[in-house]
Amino acid sequence: MQDITSNTEETIDKAAFNTSDAIEGLWDKLAGWLDAIILKLPNFILAILLVVLFHFLAKGASRVMKRLVLKKVKEESIKQIIGQITYAIVLLIGFFVALGVMDLNKVLTSVLAGAGVVGLAIGLALQGTLSNTVSGFILSFLPKISIGDWIETADDKGFVTEINLRNVTIKRPDNNLTIIPNSTFVDNPFTNYTINKRSRIIVGCGVGYESDLQMVEDLTVKIIGEAFKQDVNEEIEFFYTEFGDSSINFLVRFWADCSNGKENFMHQHTAIKTIKKHFDDADINIPFPIRTLDFGKNNLTVLSDKKE
């Protein structure tokens, strides 16, 4: 009985000793943390100040970037996203500098490694979206296209009304909108009629075989030159192109102010009216398409099957 009692007391003493050691160890640990915090307090305060400083630097860099972009990009959404990206990059640099000041090199390495893995995963998951986003930035800075330009692709044509990070919006002549993904737009050819203020207008016509061809050429060049002023190094070009079924056909090419499809049609409209009026006044025949069937020279025989 005495042995059992002594063993119980010994066990209680050991438990009390272990508890006391654990508490003492915990206090030692807390004391060590407190000493570390006190020692790191200047670095911690400096790190906070650096983050605050980089916050204001990021805001300033964002404003400066928006002003620089304003000269190149008309689309507000592009300017906003560029400002936000600039702010995030500068603030992230400040965060890494603050970690370095606090001697948290291991944490910094872990953050960078984690960011790389997450970035790779996001990039693989959002390949199409990122492609459109990058293409949107490219289009925003290209001088070859901007808001209000008249462009023509393989399938559509119209005015550019919006360029954002996902797509280009075109307003067609029928007032409907066509949405083209940025990556598709960048990878395929398009024609921008707004880049050059002057364009060459082409009008075709035909005159009767009895016409004086030199007189027709001289008159056409003269009246087109009066209707459309040609600048230096510009000239009116006239070419007979073929012997047609009922007329000798020609093309006349001249320069005019033209930045969209409607203006091109208007110049063609004016040129056609001018040519028709002056040809009528000069008795120059613009023949109708004619097909003659001569039954005298070509005997047509219709054979019918007879039933027996």
Side-chain angles (χ1 to χ4, degrees), residues 123-140:
L124 292 174
L126 301 176
Q127 260 185 326
T129 302
L130 290 176
S131 176
N132 284 329
T133 301
V134 172
S135 299
F137 280 113
I138 294 173
L139 288 174
S140 299

Side-chain angles (χ1 to χ4, degrees), residues 131-132 135 138-139 180-190:
S131 176
N132 284 329
S135 299
I138 294 173
L139 288 174
I180 304 175
N182 288 335
S183 57
T184 302
F185 197 88
V186 169
D187 292 338
N188 292 281
F190 66 91

Side-chain angles (χ1 to χ4, degrees), residues 7-252:
N7 288 335
T8 302
E9 291 176 352
E10 184 178 353
T11 302
I12 293 173
D13 291 340
K14 287 182 179 180
F17 178 75
N18 291 335
T19 303
S20 176
D21 286 346
I23 293 174
E24 185 178 353
L26 178 62
W27 282 112
D28 290 341
K29 195 71 174 177
L30 290 175
W33 287 353
L34 182 61
D35 291 340
I37 290 173
I38 293 173
L39 290 174
K40 295 289 186 181
L41 187 60
N43 290 354
F44 180 71
I45 295 174
L46 179 59
I48 293 176
L49 292 176
L50 282 172
V51 171
V52 173
L53 175 63
F54 272 89
H55 166 71
F56 290 107
L57 286 175
K59 281 192 169 183
S62 177
R63 291 195 205 98
V64 171
M65 185 60 68
K66 284 182 181 179
R67 289 175 184 172
L68 293 175
V69 172
L70 184 63
K71 300 177 181 178
K72 299 288 185 181
V73 181
K74 295 181 181 179
E75 186 60 38
E76 185 64 30
S77 62
I78 301 293
K79 291 184 285 187
Q80 291 295 333
I81 196 66
I82 289 176
Q84 293 171 5
I85 291 175
T86 303
Y87 174 83
I89 290 174
V90 175
L91 193 61
L92 192 62
I93 293 173
F95 174 72
F96 288 148
V97 171
L99 289 178
V101 168
M102 295 177 65
D103 293 330
L104 298 177
N105 296 326
K106 292 183 178 180
V107 175
L108 180 59
T109 304
S110 300
V111 169
L112 291 175
V117 173
V118 172
L120 179 61
I122 292 175
L124 292 174
L126 301 176
Q127 260 185 326
T129 302
L130 290 176
S131 176
N132 284 329
T133 301
V134 172
S135 299
F137 280 113
I138 294 173
L139 288 174
S140 299
F141 288 96
L142 280 178
K144 302 299 182 183
I145 181 172
S146 59
I147 304 298
D149 287 355
W150 174 273
I151 65 169
E152 182 175 338
T153 65
D155 301 316
D156 294 287
K157 58 184 176 181
F159 288 103
V160 178
T161 59
E162 183 182 10
I163 302 173
N164 57 40
L165 294 179
R166 289 181 58 96
N167 49 60
V168 175
T169 302
I170 297 176
K171 187 175 183 180
R172 300 193 321 227
D174 59 7
N175 204 41
N176 290 315
L177 299 178
T178 298
I179 311 299
I180 304 175
N182 288 335
S183 57
T184 302
F185 197 88
V186 169
D187 292 338
N188 292 281
F190 66 91
T191 303
N192 190 338
Y193 289 92
T194 308
I195 294 179
N196 297 320
K197 294 182 179 180
R198 302 278 289 177
S199 294
R200 180 173 277 161
I201 312 299
I202 302 174
V203 175
C205 188
V207 294
Y209 276 87
E210 75 284 356
S211 302
D212 183 337
L213 298 186
Q214 188 59 51
M215 189 266 284
V216 170
E217 178 180 352
D218 294 340
L219 178 61
T220 304
V221 171
K222 176 177 178 294
I223 61 178
I224 292 297
E226 292 173 350
F228 300 93
K229 182 180 179 182
Q230 304 298 288
D231 293 343
V232 180
N233 297 327
E234 295 179 351
E235 62 177 341
I236 299 169
E237 297 178 338
F238 184 99
F239 304 100
Y240 286 108
T241 57
E242 63 176 345
F243 292 98
D245 292 338
S246 57
S247 62
I248 298 177
N249 300 324
F250 68 83
L251 290 176
V252 58

